């Protein structure tokens, strides 16, 4: 995997934003979500639990991506 | 009275178990068979969705069980790579694991966002029959456009190492393409197997990749919907759903065993022809 350390802060920021979004999905009913959120439905008391899970997983994915970018540069396979 | 009888549950469960690993669209068959058999069951009915939860969880559990040793190696590989903060070039288990993650994320994302609207839009059995024909044409096209022809002994050696040679972009593409399977009639396993062929895998490797990719998607979709089965939508269908799940588990096991052997010497072509023929048959029956 190609390493690009410049992406680390961006990936962390995206991860934080996505996890905040996940918490909003879990905490707020569809009617109280910001209107630009997928699943916003004025007056609805339904919680988009699965949307929250999705945002959380994507957030964790961003953190994992950032974690890999902090690793050593790629090396050739043994014996090659 | 049960909205789904035990006999219907057993038949639909067995059908789901066969059609899920086969590249012939389990959802499409689940939509057209009730109408062919004259059953008053519709795919968007709450009780039917609750019923499907059980059969999907059973299918995913069997897939997990059948590839348990592979999953253990893959999870250990993921752990190794996280610890080292890199995927060692010779660690095919780790690379395969991350390829599955990269393929699963777009499929899960699109599935969560578009499942309901697409199901509502293409709910009719007539559209499912039409998309079965499209699925058949796709399977034939995948075989026609595959990167390389099948060779004797393709299945020998380390399958995982060959699958792990897919690029990140290819894995992401396969994951995204799976979203087409939200349309009843288009097969998720057909899309993944076909994509594998386009990217240079053999039929057996493509099938194996498809089964590995199916497990987290089907399992997560099923587990997330378990509350539907346990809630009011599941009233009256839990017994038939349990029987359907047992039938689905049995037929999934047989179907996967069969397909892994079938694809050692066969291609997607006969299954494509079947989809076209069955889709045309259903279209004619529904039109009469």
């Amino acid at each position: 995997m190609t390493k690009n350390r410049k992406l680390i802060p961006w990936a962390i920021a995206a991860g934080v934003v996505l996890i905040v979004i996940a918490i909003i999905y879990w905490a707020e009913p569809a009617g109280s979500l910001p209107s630009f959120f997928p699943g916003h439905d004025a007056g609805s008391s339904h919680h988009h639990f699965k949307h929250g899970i999705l945002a959380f997983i994507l957030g964790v994915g961003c953190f994992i991506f950032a974690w890999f970018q902090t690793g050593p540069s790629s090396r050739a396979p043994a014996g090659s | 009275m049960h909205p789904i009888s035990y006999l219907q549950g057993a038949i639909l469960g067995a059908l789901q178990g066969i059609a899920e690993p086969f590249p012939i669209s389990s959802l499409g068959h689940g939509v057209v068979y009730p109408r062919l058999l004259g059953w008053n069951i519709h795919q968007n009915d709450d009780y039917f969705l609750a019923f499907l939860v059980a059969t999907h969880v059973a299918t995913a559990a069997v897939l997990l069980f059948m590839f348990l040793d592979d999953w253990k190696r893959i999870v250990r590989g993921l752990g190794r790579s996280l610890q080292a903060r890199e995927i060692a070039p010779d660690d095919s288990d780790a690379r395969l694991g991350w390829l599955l993650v990269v393929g699963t994320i777009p499929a899960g994302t699109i599935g969560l966002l578009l499942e309901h609207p697409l199901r509502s839009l293409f709910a009719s059995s007539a559209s499912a029959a039409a998309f079965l024909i499209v699925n058949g044409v796709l399977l034939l096209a995948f075989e026609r456009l595959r990167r390389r022809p099948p060779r004797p002994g393709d299945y020998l050696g380390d399958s995982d190492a060959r699958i792990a040679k897919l690029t990140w972009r290819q894995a992401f593409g396969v994951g995204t393409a799976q979203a087409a399977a939200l349309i009843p009639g288009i097969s998720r396993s057909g899309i993944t197997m076909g994509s594998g062929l386009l990217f240079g895998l053999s039929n057996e490797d493509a099938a194996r990749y498809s089964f590995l990719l199916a497990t987290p998607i089907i399992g997560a979709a099923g587990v997330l919907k378990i509350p539907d089965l346990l809630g009011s939508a599941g009233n009256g269908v839990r017994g038939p759903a349990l029987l359907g799940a047992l039938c689905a588990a049995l037929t999934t096991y047989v179907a996967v065993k069969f397909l892994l052997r079938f694809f050692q010497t066969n291609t997607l072509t006969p299954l494509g022809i079947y989809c076209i023929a069955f889709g045309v048959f259903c279209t004619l029956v529904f039109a009469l």
Side-chain angles (χ1 to χ4, degrees):
Chain A
M1 186 188 286
T2 313
K3 308 280 178 175
N4 188 343
R5 290 182 190 276
K6 286 179 188 167
L7 291 175
I8 294 171
W10 293 103
I12 291 173
V16 170
V17 169
L18 283 163
I19 288 189
V20 169
I21 290 172
I23 293 168
I24 292 172
Y25 270 121
W26 288 329
E28 296 293 335
S32 302
L33 291 172
S35 58
F36 56 88
F37 269 40
H40 167 79
D41 185 9
S44 171
S45 59
H46 175 70
H47 275 79
H48 284 299
F49 182 71
K50 285 185 275 191
H51 285 58
I53 291 177
L54 176 65
F56 183 79
I57 290 172
L58 290 175
V60 170
C62 288
F63 288 137
I64 291 173
F65 178 78
W67 174 252
F68 274 113
Q69 298 307 309
T70 66
S73 300
S74 299
R75 55 189 160 81
S80 67
Chain B
M1 184 183 161
H2 294 292
I4 299 176
S5 71
Y6 278 89
L7 178 65
Q8 289 170 334
I11 292 173
L12 289 172
L15 192 65
Q16 151 72 20
I18 294 170
E20 188 66 51
F22 270 80
I24 57 173
S25 179
S26 61
L27 192 54
H29 280 71
V31 172
V32 297
Y33 261 99
R35 181 157 173 202
L36 280 178
L37 297 170
W39 296 345
N40 188 26
I41 295 173
H42 302 285
Q43 65 141 349
N44 282 334
D45 289 340
D46 286 344
Y47 66 85
F48 186 56
L49 294 175
F51 171 84
L52 285 181
V53 171
T55 57
H56 278 111
V57 169
T59 300
V62 169
L63 284 173
L64 180 65
F65 168 76
M66 292 185 78
F67 294 96
L68 191 58
D69 290 338
D70 302 87
W71 281 110
K72 284 180 185 169
R73 283 190 295 103
I74 288 167
V75 170
R76 279 197 292 267
L78 290 174
R80 272 196 307 276
S81 62
L82 280 172
Q83 207 168 14
R85 288 180 293 159
E86 68 166 347
I87 301 167
D90 51 356
D91 193 344
S92 57
D93 292 335
R95 186 169 168 88
L96 177 58
W98 288 113
L99 285 171
L100 293 172
V101 171
V102 167
T104 300
I105 285 177
T109 305
I110 299 170
L112 270 177
L113 295 177
L114 295 183
E115 184 197 7
H116 188 68
L118 283 179
R119 270 196 178 216
S120 305
L121 196 60
F122 300 106
S124 75
S125 44
S127 85
F131 277 108
L132 276 172
I133 300 172
V134 174
N135 188 63
V137 172
L138 279 174
L139 295 183
L140 297 182
F142 285 137
E143 282 293 348
R144 184 94 182 151
L145 300 172
R146 64 188 296 168
R147 184 171 286 182
R148 62 180 185 78
R151 290 189 290 254
D154 252 348
Y155 57 91
L156 300 173
D158 187 356
S159 173
D160 288 353
R162 291 192 294 269
I163 298 170
K165 285 180 182 157
L166 290 176
T167 66
W168 301 113
R169 196 170 292 183
Q170 287 170 339
F172 187 82
V174 173
T176 308
Q178 283 187 85
L182 293 170
I183 300 171
I186 302 294
S187 166
R188 190 206 54 76
S189 51
I191 296 279
T192 50
M193 286 179 196
S195 305
L197 296 183
L198 296 183
F199 297 144
L201 294 179
S202 67
N203 285 91
E204 200 221 0
D205 288 349
R208 189 178 161 74
Y209 178 55
S210 171
F211 298 147
L212 289 172
L213 204 50
T215 310
I217 283 283
I218 302 172
V223 167
L224 282 172
K225 287 182 179 169
I226 280 181
D228 292 351
L229 180 62
L230 300 179
S232 59
N235 291 345
V237 295
R238 289 187 200 99
L242 181 63
L243 180 62
L246 289 172
C247 293
L250 185 67
T251 52
T252 299
Y253 181 82
V254 174
V256 171
K257 283 274 184 200
F258 171 81
L259 280 176
L260 286 174
R261 285 183 70 87
F262 176 82
F263 282 129
Q264 287 180 1
T265 51
N266 287 284
T267 65
L268 292 172
T269 303
L271 300 167
I273 292 169
Y274 161 76
C275 282
I276 293 172
F278 186 58
V280 168
F281 170 75
C282 291
T283 302
L284 292 175
V285 169
F286 297 157
L288 293 176

